Amino acid sequence: MAHFAELDQNNTVLRVVVVSNRDTADASGVEKEHIGAAHLEKILGGTWKQTSYNGNFRKNYAGQGYTYNSTIDAFVPPKPFSSWVLDENTAQWNSPVPMPQDGKMYQWDEASVNWIEMNTNV
């Protein structure tokens, strides 16, 4: 089975569907993305890109609300905070300040652009 993400005009993922291997394979039985995309375009319309659960290609499994970035050929999750920066190698968002690694729990505070220790004594 192959998974394909439908993209809107802004390359935002609308949905992900599963396609049978027979609908993605050429005459020799070799899976080809363009065959699966053409199959979906024919029956559902839209624009489709293949995605992978295990990250073999396009870095992340596409999810609704993700964006396809053609420059890095990857599905990028929604940006969690305006200050965060995209790591183009992983297609993941990183905070501008690393989270402390002292075993305590933290949450991101966008107003101070820093990690704030969470009160766990509740």
Side-chain angles (χ1 to χ4, degrees):
M1 297 305 221
H3 297 84
F4 283 80
E6 182 181 18
L7 306 177
D8 71 8
Q9 65 277 9
N10 297 315
N11 282 341
T12 301
V13 176
L14 299 172
R15 61 181 164 165
V16 177
V17 299
V18 179
V19 178
S20 170
N21 289 342
R22 66 181 164 76
D23 293 322
T24 63
D26 65 13
S28 300
V30 177
E31 185 180 303
K32 305 278 184 164
E33 178 181 15
H34 72 274
I35 295 172
H39 170 74
L40 289 167
E41 289 169 15
K42 181 179 177 183
I43 63 172
L44 298 174
T47 301
W48 299 86
K49 288 283 183 188
Q50 193 168 4
T51 187
S52 168
Y53 265 127
N54 55 18
N56 282 345
F57 53 92
R58 302 219 164 92
K59 297 178 174 62
N60 299 300
Y61 182 74
Q64 192 173 22
Y66 279 48
T67 303
Y68 173 68
N69 182 319
S70 61
T71 303
I72 59 174
D73 189 29
F75 288 106
V76 179
K79 189 173 187 177
F81 299 98
S82 61
S83 66
W84 286 34
V85 179
L86 182 65
D87 178 339
E88 292 187 351
N89 293 317
T90 63
Q92 293 291 320
W93 296 102
N94 294 324
S95 61
V97 176
M99 185 172 72
Q101 299 296 312
D102 57 9
K104 298 177 184 176
M105 294 183 66
Y106 291 87
Q107 66 184 16
W108 182 254
D109 179 58
E110 186 66 11
S112 66
V113 190
N114 211 339
W115 294 98
I116 305 293
E117 184 178 349
M118 294 176 64
N119 182 359
T120 57
N121 297 328
V122 177

